[in-house]
Amino acid sequence: MQNLNRRRVLTLGAALGLATVADPTKAWAWSSANSIAATDTITDPWSVWDDATDPLVASLLENGQIPAVNTAFAAWVNNGDPLPAGLPANLAAYLQQVNTLPSWADPAKLARAAQFNKRMSMYLFLLYGLGSGIMSTVIPREARNVYWSAGGAEMQSRAAKTFTYGYDLAALDAFLPTGHFVVTSNKTRLTHAAVRHLLPQSPQWRAVTNDQDFIPISNGDILVTFHSLGTFVFGKLKAWGIKISAAEEDAFLHQWQVALHLLGVRDDFIPASWAAAKQQSAYVLTPIMAPTPEGINLADVLLGLVAQVDLGVTKGFQREFARYLLSDKVGDWLKLPRDLISRSVIELGWPTYVAFREGLSPIMPTTFSMFDQFVRGLAMLFLNNGTSPSYTPITIPTGNRAA
Ligand code: HEM
């Protein structure tokens, strides 16, 4: 782990609603007793990648087979679809093994998670899109990897592909034969394996990364990203006072546990409870957040994409909302311009908007329709991407960003 300032970590963690119990100057000490595997061992997840997938994808890349795989994958969309024709035999054999839910997946919990996602959908678009999306730009490894991989040069398409994942996860039939999520996860897992092979060959990435010998996207890195998504969103929903039953809390975590498994994270790293997830987040996510030139650029590009659509609020408001979600520390790192009038509107109006919307308060704030247009507009922005003819399928890259 990088050298850390404990005070900074505590302040930032509190602002993001993430737990900060761990002393980040200490080595990895998250016991797998609190994982799905429940083995009382301590293994560093930054030294674990994806042994089942990485050599296979490396050989497909070396043999020039990936373009044909991407073509075949275009017809492979639903979880219940047979594997497409024309795949190399070793890839087909691999997919036969992994294209399935883990034995511990609980269909009832996954169904409950789907209903919960539907009930929370407006908040989820906002939190995943404007919260987790921008947070990913202050996770240094992720920002550098995304910037210097092929997709970094085409952020609109990359954002659309990433949204495909979120949309497929949140769909009512995500894990059912008619849903897409298992297939989308497998394509993502293969994409990550390709990045592990390709990015170390990028001279630009090697020049900027502070861990030259480190293979990208370890299990530890994926856990970091999970906490910037699931753990962050869960923490915000709770902090906003939204009523969530114990069964819903459990189901929301379970959907992420299955998602992590499908991305190739070992069961002994997957937290078994929200308490364990928060404890792990304190180790893996909060201490490592920092600005990078790549992340500052990516945040600017992402916020520019959001500003392209009319959300009924100014650009200044959108940037202040990102600050409100992620803290001014993060906003300052990303050099997001200030708009203090919008900020006071948000600080006063958002809690009352949520309280009224959730039936926790009878008082409708005067700014209700403005917030409503904002969250609905963001939802439409993402939904249009997920359902429009320009829906962008995930494809495995064959190179890196040129410059
Ligand atoms: C690609 C999701 C973790 C770096 C993708 C894609 C998805 C995705 C859906 C395919 C879309 C695309 O090609 O742009 C996730 C999820 C994660 C995770 C759900 C964890 C829960 C990470 C981490 C890193 C990372 C930890 C780096 C530290 C990348 C890169 C690409 C990619 C570089 C390829 C972009 C390209 O094609 O050039 N990821 N990811 N991801 N991901 Fe991840």
Side-chain angles (χ1 to χ4, degrees):
M1 251 191 250
Q2 294 161 17
N3 203 8
L4 305 154
N5 172 323
R6 179 162 171 76
R7 190 182 154 78
R8 193 198 89 192
V9 168
L10 290 174
T11 318
L12 189 58
L16 293 170
L18 297 165
T20 50
V21 290
D23 180 347
T25 54
K26 288 191 182 143
W28 173 261
W30 191 83
S31 167
S32 292
N34 300 319
S35 73
I36 292 272
T39 49
D40 192 7
T41 48
I42 293 179
T43 312
D44 180 350
W46 279 281
S47 59
V48 174
W49 289 272
D50 191 346
D51 292 346
T53 317
D54 296 342
L56 168 68
V57 175
S59 84
L60 295 172
L61 280 164
E62 293 294 316
N63 296 330
Q65 291 166 290
I66 292 294
V69 168
N70 281 330
T71 305
F73 272 2
W76 186 44
V77 178
N78 293 343
N79 300 334
D81 285 348
L83 291 180
L87 293 182
N90 52 357
L91 177 60
Y94 159 87
L95 287 172
Q96 301 282 7
Q97 298 282 321
V98 299
N99 190 38
T100 181
L101 296 181
S103 58
W104 44 261
D106 180 336
K109 284 187 187 178
L110 294 175
R112 191 173 297 122
Q115 291 299 338
F116 178 68
N117 287 331
K118 191 174 171 205
R119 182 163 82 83
M120 291 292 108
S121 61
M122 291 293 172
Y123 301 119
L124 295 184
F125 287 121
L126 176 77
L127 284 168
Y128 283 134
L130 210 54
S132 308
I134 302 302
M135 200 195 297
S136 73
T137 70
V138 290
I139 299 173
R141 269 189 191 145
E142 191 168 347
R144 291 194 185 108
N145 288 1
V146 168
Y147 187 92
W148 287 111
S149 63
E154 300 160 32
M155 279 310 281
Q156 184 141 17
S157 147
R158 186 173 196 281
K161 287 180 191 170
T162 304
F163 176 67
T164 299
Y165 181 94
Y167 181 78
D168 291 348
L169 173 62
L172 274 176
D173 59 355
F175 295 89
L176 300 177
T178 52
H180 308 160
F181 187 67
V182 180
V183 170
T184 296
S185 296
N186 276 304
K187 290 180 181 174
T188 305
R189 184 173 178 181
L190 292 165
T191 297
H192 285 160
V195 170
R196 287 186 199 107
H197 184 69
L198 293 168
L199 212 47
Q201 300 171 31
S202 159
Q204 291 93 343
W205 177 75
R206 290 188 67 82
V208 295
T209 188
N210 51 5
D211 40 22
Q212 266 86 358
D213 297 325
F214 188 82
I215 303 165
I217 322 184
S218 65
N219 268 209
D221 292 319
I222 296 179
L223 292 169
V224 168
T225 305
F226 155 58
H227 292 303
S228 75
L229 291 157
T231 312
F232 164 75
V233 167
F234 179 70
K236 283 289 174 195
L237 292 175
K238 296 286 283 182
W240 290 347
I242 290 167
K243 283 191 188 144
I244 311 175
S245 70
E248 285 175 326
E249 289 190 2
D250 195 34
F252 187 64
L253 175 64
H254 190 65
Q255 133 210 281
W256 272 109
Q257 291 168 329
V258 175
L260 287 171
H261 176 93
L262 292 173
L263 283 180
V265 176
R266 276 182 8 187
D267 289 0
D268 54 325
F269 296 134
I270 300 177
S273 65
W274 277 119
K278 284 184 185 168
Q279 195 197 28
Q280 191 186 66
S281 179
Y283 275 107
V284 300
L285 171 60
T286 321
I288 59 157
M289 283 193 233
T292 56
E294 290 82 4
I296 292 169
N297 177 282
L298 292 177
D300 191 50
V301 174
L302 286 173
L303 286 165
L305 294 178
V306 174
Q308 279 175 16
V309 286
D310 182 10
L311 301 173
V313 294
T314 62
K315 253 170 82 169
F317 182 99
Q318 294 167 27
R319 281 159 172 69
E320 278 300 335
F321 211 97
R323 280 178 171 269
Y324 178 68
L325 291 178
L326 295 174
S327 81
D328 282 323
K329 181 88 197 158
V330 171
D332 291 345
W333 281 345
L334 294 173
K335 304 185 194 307
L336 304 185
R338 300 303 321 245
D339 177 345
L340 295 177
I341 294 177
S342 288
R343 179 55 169 265
S344 56
V345 171
I346 294 165
E347 277 184 0
L348 282 171
W350 180 254
T352 48
Y353 170 80
V354 174
F356 182 73
R357 204 167 186 272
E358 294 302 307
L360 302 169
S361 156
I363 300 160
M364 182 162 134
T366 50
T367 48
F368 183 88
S369 59
M370 184 192 70
F371 282 109
D372 218 39
Q373 191 181 346
F374 174 58
V375 287
R376 283 173 197 279
L378 268 178
M380 285 319 293
L381 171 69
F382 294 123
L383 279 173
N384 280 340
N385 168 240
T387 54
S388 77
S390 61
Y391 175 84
T392 316
I394 293 171
T395 49
I396 304 169
T398 54
N400 294 310
R401 181 179 186 150

